[in-house]
Amino acid sequence: MKFHHHGYVSENPRIRPAAGVGVERSPELPEQMDVLIVGSGPAAIVAAAQLSVFPDIVSCMIEKRDSRLVLGHADGVQQRSIETFQAFGFADEIINEAYQITETAFWSPDPDEPGHIVRTRYTDDDPHGISEFPHLIVNQARVLDYFREFMERQPSRSRPYYGLEFLDLTIGEGEYPVEVRLRRTAGERTGEEFTVRTRYLIGGDGARSGVRKAIGATHQGNIAYHAWGVVDMVADTDFPDIRTKSIISSNQGHILHIPREGGYLFRSYVDLGEVAADDNHAVRLTPLEEIIRRLNAIVAPYTVTPKEVAWWSVYEVGHRVTDRFDEVGLDPDESRNPHVFICGDACHTHSAKAGQGMNVSMQDSWNIGWKLAQVLRGYSSDKLLRTYNAERQQIAQDLIDFDAEWSARMAGQFSDDESIEDFYVRTSEFPAGFMTQYPPSQVISARAVQEAATGYPLGKRFKSHPAVRRCDATTLGLGHQHEADGRWRVYVFADAAAPGESGRVADFAQWWATDPSSPMVRHTRPGDDPDTLFDLKVVYRQHHREYDITDTPEAFRPRTGPFQVEDWNQVWSALPEDSVFQARGIADSGAVVVVRPDQYVADVQPLDGTAALSEFFDGVFDLSD
C-alpha cells in the first residue's frame, strides 16, 4: 500500500481525500449523471465500486429497498472472486470471517442397507492447486458491505441511493441520451415519480430485470422440470459431516450441503423431485415441514432437527441467457454503440448449486465498470463498450452449459460412466472462476507471442506468483499488487542481463520512457505522472541482494506525486527457490506481459516486441468514432 507521497498521512490511509464530485456530495440523486446503476447487488456494486475511484465521474447506484441487504441468498465465493476482493482491498478481512471449504465429502447408499447412506469419498477442494486463495462461504450481504465501504472511502464518496425504483427508460440523442423514469419507495414522498438523464445505465436489477425488459432483451432457454428446497438453519444433528461440504445421494433423493460462516449455520439444497410440465409453479407452495421431512429421509440413519431457520425457499432449476447484454448486441452497424447494459441475473439465470451466480455477476460488473471509466475519462471512444456484450455473453453461455450438466448430475439425471466425484474434481477449474478466456478484440491482442510466457495464457486472468520486492526485500504475490484503480499493468520479465547492464531490458526501458511510439509517452496527458495510466513493473532473475535498486533504469523508478519522488516499489526479483520464470514459462530471452484493469492478460510480447505493443495500445486508446 502506497501513501505519504502526496503528503503525510496520520489517519487510515485507505480513506482517500474527497475530490471532485465527492466534495460535499448531495444526498439527493442528481438530475444528470455519467452512469446510473440500477440495483445494489453483486451485479451492480462492483461497477459502482470501480467507478467510485474516479472523482471526475458522476456515478449513482439506486436501490428500491430502503436500506442495506440484511440476508443475501448467494453465499458461495469462488477463488476468482477472492482475487477480485484483493484488488478492492478487503480479501484478508472477508477470508477471516468466512467459512473456508477445504474438502468435500461424498455420501451414497449403503450397499448392505440401501435405505441408509455411507460416506464413500473425500476430495480436496482445490486438487490441482489452481489458486492460493480459499473457496469461501459468506453471506452475500457482507460482500456488499465491503464493497460499499470501499466506495465510501474513495474520492467520489459514492454510496447507494436507497428507496428509488426503476420504472422504464428511453434512449434518445444528446450528451445524456438515456432518460430514466423512477419512483420513490420510501420516505415522505413515497410514490412520487420523476425522471433523470444519464450518459450510460447499468441494469444489475436481478432475474426480473426491468432494465432488460426496457431494452427488449429476452431470455433464451428453459426451466428444467426439477425442484429443490433450500434451507438455512441451525440444527441438532448426528450427521458427522454437518460442518463439511457434502454431496449426498440416496434412494430418497439428493442433497447439496454447505456449512455457513459462524460455526453453526448451514445450508441444505434438498431434492424435491421432478415436476410435471403443467405444474404451473405449484411446487413452490411446498411447506418447510415437507422439505425437512425429505432432508431427514435422505440422510437416514442420521437425523437433523432444526432449532432456527434463518431463510428457506423452493425453486425450479432454470438455465437461461439473454439474447444480448446491451441494447445493441451484435448489430453489424458499427456506428451504433451501446448506452444501456445488463449484468448478472438480469442476463443469465441458472441453479444455485454450482455457486456461480454472485461470482459471475461480479465479473460482468467489473468488466463493464472499468471500460466505462476508460471511456468517460476520455481515453477511449465508446466503441470500446461493444466488447462488453462480445466478451460476457459467451461466458454466460459457458456457465449455463456447465450448470445444466452439474444440475443433472446432482439430480441423478445424467447417465455416463463418470461418477459425480470424478466430475467434480475434473471440472474444478470452471467453478473456481478460472476457465474464462477472452478472444482477441480491441482489448485482447491479436498479435500476442504466447511462447514468450506460456504460463500467462492470453485472455485468461493473470495468475499471481510470489516474488521479492527489491526496495524492502519483502516477498509478495505479484498479482496481489494489482489494485482496482483502472490502470493497465505492464510486467517486464528480464532476460539474463543484470540490472545496469545494456541489453533488451535497458532498451525496453529507454523506449518506454522516451520514444514517441511508447504507450506511456503517447497516451499520458501532459503534466500527468508516468504511472497515471500504466503500472510498469520489472522482475529480474538475479537475487535481490546482487544489485542496488539505483542500478535499474529510471523507467522502473517513476517520479510521482506533488513531490516528484521516485517510486521504488516497481522493481522485483524472482525467488531463487520458487522462480516465477520457471513457474510461468518465461522465455530465456524475457517477456512483456500486459494485464487489463480487470486482471486479464491482454498481450504477451518478447522484450523487443515494442511495435506490437504500440499497435495494441493505439487500438485500446483509440478516440476515433
Side-chain angles (χ1 to χ4, degrees):
M1 190 174 190
K2 302 177 188 178
F3 52 96
H4 294 320
H5 56 300
H6 285 264
Y8 178 71
V9 177
S10 66
E11 297 181 335
N12 188 347
R14 296 169 185 81
I15 302 175
R16 300 174 61 193
V21 298
V23 178
E24 298 182 357
R25 184 163 185 151
S26 171
E28 291 294 320
L29 189 71
E31 294 181 357
Q32 295 180 334
M33 64 205 77
D34 294 317
V35 185
L36 178 65
I37 303 169
V38 180
S40 64
I45 203 164
V46 182
Q50 177 66 94
L51 292 166
S52 73
V53 171
F54 307 105
D56 52 343
I57 295 177
V58 183
S59 64
C60 302
M61 181 172 66
I62 62 171
E63 170 56 57
K64 66 180 178 181
R65 289 192 314 273
D66 62 0
S67 62
R68 67 176 283 274
L69 180 72
V70 174
L71 179 64
H73 299 161
D75 58 1
V77 181
Q78 308 293 359
Q79 290 97 321
R80 173 67 189 121
S81 295
I82 309 301
E83 291 181 346
T84 302
F85 298 164
Q86 181 79 20
F88 284 91
F90 60 85
D92 291 341
E93 293 174 275
I94 203 167
I95 287 171
N96 288 337
E97 73 177 69
Y99 172 84
Q100 296 190 28
I101 297 177
T102 58
E103 63 183 13
T104 299
F106 290 84
W107 293 73
S108 300
D110 185 343
D112 298 326
E113 194 166 352
H116 291 174
I117 58 171
V118 293
R119 188 191 301 115
T120 56
R121 185 175 173 183
Y122 282 115
T123 65
D124 293 334
D125 190 69
D126 184 4
H128 307 300
I130 55 179
S131 177
E132 70 277 21
F133 286 116
H135 179 185
L136 303 182
I137 301 295
V138 66
N139 187 352
Q140 173 184 319
R142 294 294 294 133
V143 174
L144 302 182
D145 287 345
Y146 280 112
F147 275 113
R148 276 199 313 277
E149 185 177 76
F150 175 90
M151 293 164 56
E152 292 166 2
R153 291 172 167 178
Q154 300 310 305
S156 67
R157 294 297 188 267
S158 184
R159 61 182 60 200
Y161 293 85
Y162 290 112
L164 296 177
E165 180 182 16
F166 171 87
L167 296 178
D168 57 39
L169 63 82
T170 55
I171 303 173
E173 303 292 335
E175 187 177 2
Y176 299 91
V178 186
E179 184 178 68
V180 188
R181 188 162 62 96
L182 305 174
R183 176 190 294 135
R184 300 186 188 276
T185 61
E188 296 179 356
R189 297 154 69 185
T190 298
E192 176 183 288
E193 296 183 9
F194 65 103
T195 61
V196 296
R197 300 194 73 92
T198 182
R199 298 178 195 269
Y200 301 102
L201 184 143
I202 298 173
D205 50 340
R208 297 180 177 86
S209 171
V211 176
R212 181 185 67 236
K213 180 179 179 181
I215 64 173
T218 58
H219 270 317
Q220 311 291 316
N222 300 298
I223 290 178
Y225 296 105
H226 202 100
W228 295 79
V230 55
V231 187
D232 279 349
M233 61 177 153
V234 176
D236 267 342
T237 182
D238 58 353
F239 179 62
D241 283 334
I242 203 69
R243 296 302 301 165
T244 301
K245 179 182 176 182
S246 301
I247 295 174
I248 305 167
S249 299
S250 87
N251 294 338
Q252 299 297 314
H254 308 269
I255 291 175
L256 174 61
H257 173 79
I258 307 288
R260 296 289 303 269
E261 68 280 8
Y264 298 94
L265 189 71
F266 62 85
R267 172 172 294 182
S268 288
Y269 293 91
V270 182
D271 184 1
L272 299 182
E274 293 190 22
V275 180
D278 59 357
D279 177 76
N280 198 28
H281 306 305
V283 71
R284 297 180 185 177
L285 302 177
T286 303
L288 173 63
E289 293 75 15
E290 174 61 15
I291 299 172
I292 300 300
R293 185 196 69 77
R294 293 201 182 209
L295 184 155
N296 277 283
I298 293 169
V299 302
Y302 306 105
T303 60
V304 176
T305 304
K307 293 299 181 180
E308 181 182 47
V309 173
W311 172 78
W312 68 280
S313 184
V314 175
Y315 70 94
E316 300 129 296
V317 175
H319 303 101
R320 292 174 290 180
V321 61
T322 59
D323 58 340
R324 48 196 165 85
F325 285 17
D326 56 42
E327 86 274 22
V328 174
L330 298 177
D331 190 329
D333 181 1
E334 295 188 0
S335 67
R336 292 188 65 205
N337 292 316
H339 288 83
V340 179
F341 311 87
I342 52 177
C343 301
D345 287 354
C347 46
H348 47 78
T349 61
H350 40 84
S351 82
K353 295 184 294 301
Q356 293 299 293
M358 175 167 58
N359 297 278
V360 176
S361 296
M362 289 190 290
Q363 297 307 313
D364 289 345
S365 194
W366 199 6
N367 186 293
I368 189 58
W370 77 261
K371 291 172 181 176
L372 281 169
Q374 179 99 6
V375 170
L376 287 166
R377 295 168 70 209
Y379 290 112
S380 297
S381 74
D382 57 2
K383 66 184 177 184
L384 173 71
L385 303 177
R386 292 175 68 100
T387 64
Y388 171 68
N389 180 87
E391 289 186 338
R392 295 307 297 174
Q393 190 181 37
Q394 182 57 54
I395 299 305
Q397 187 59 59
D398 293 343
L399 167 62
I400 297 304
D401 295 342
F402 172 83
D403 186 66
E405 181 173 352
W406 175 244
S407 297
R409 288 181 181 276
M410 276 295 303
Q413 297 173 331
F414 202 94
S415 57
D416 64 9
D417 294 332
E418 186 175 30
S419 68
I420 193 169
E421 297 96 325
D422 290 340
F423 177 82
Y424 182 84
V425 171
R426 177 175 63 82
T427 62
S428 59
E429 189 173 359
F430 188 97
F434 298 133
M435 287 301 289
T436 295
Q437 185 164 21
Y438 296 128
S441 68
Q442 184 180 353
V443 285
I444 298 290
S445 175
R447 293 183 58 189
V449 182
Q450 188 65 75
E451 54 267 30
T454 57
Y456 290 120
L458 185 72
K460 298 191 79 170
R461 117 289 189 187
F462 180 85
K463 186 175 182 180
S464 185
H465 195 83
V468 179
R469 189 166 57 196
R470 175 62 190 91
C471 66
D472 55 5
T474 302
T475 299
L476 299 166
L478 274 176
H480 299 182
Q481 312 315 303
H482 184 135
E483 298 179 8
D485 54 16
R487 292 189 297 167
W488 291 77
R489 268 63 193 177
V490 180
Y491 297 91
V492 178
F493 293 96
D495 56 8
E501 294 181 359
S502 60
R504 292 186 181 92
V505 173
D507 290 346
F508 179 91
Q510 180 71 14
W511 171 80
W512 182 266
T514 64
D515 196 287
S517 68
S518 157
M520 191 277 291
V521 174
R522 284 177 63 83
H523 306 299
T524 302
R525 292 169 180 159
D528 283 352
D529 290 337
D531 63 354
T532 299
L533 297 178
F534 303 100
D535 179 15
L536 177 70
K537 287 181 169 63
V538 63
V539 185
Y540 287 105
R541 298 173 189 260
Q542 286 75 16
H543 192 283
H544 71 278
R545 292 177 180 172
E546 295 180 7
Y547 63 96
D548 287 325
I549 198 166
T550 49
D551 295 335
T552 65
E554 291 184 3
F556 304 128
R557 296 178 279 124
R559 293 188 177 274
T560 184
F563 308 132
Q564 286 296 286
V565 294
E566 289 189 345
D567 180 0
W568 283 12
N569 298 279
Q570 306 301 91
V571 178
W572 297 70
S573 280
L575 287 169
E577 69 280 6
D578 186 17
S579 172
V580 63
F581 289 90
Q582 279 72 53
R584 296 292 176 265
I586 307 298
D588 291 343
S589 55
V592 179
V593 178
V594 176
V595 181
R596 301 184 339 180
D598 60 348
Q599 301 179 322
Y600 286 89
V601 176
D603 199 2
V604 179
Q605 293 293 335
L607 289 173
D608 57 1
T610 53
L613 287 170
S614 294
E615 179 183 305
F616 171 68
F617 278 116
D618 283 351
V620 171
F621 287 83
D622 183 6
L623 289 171
S624 64
D625 293 332

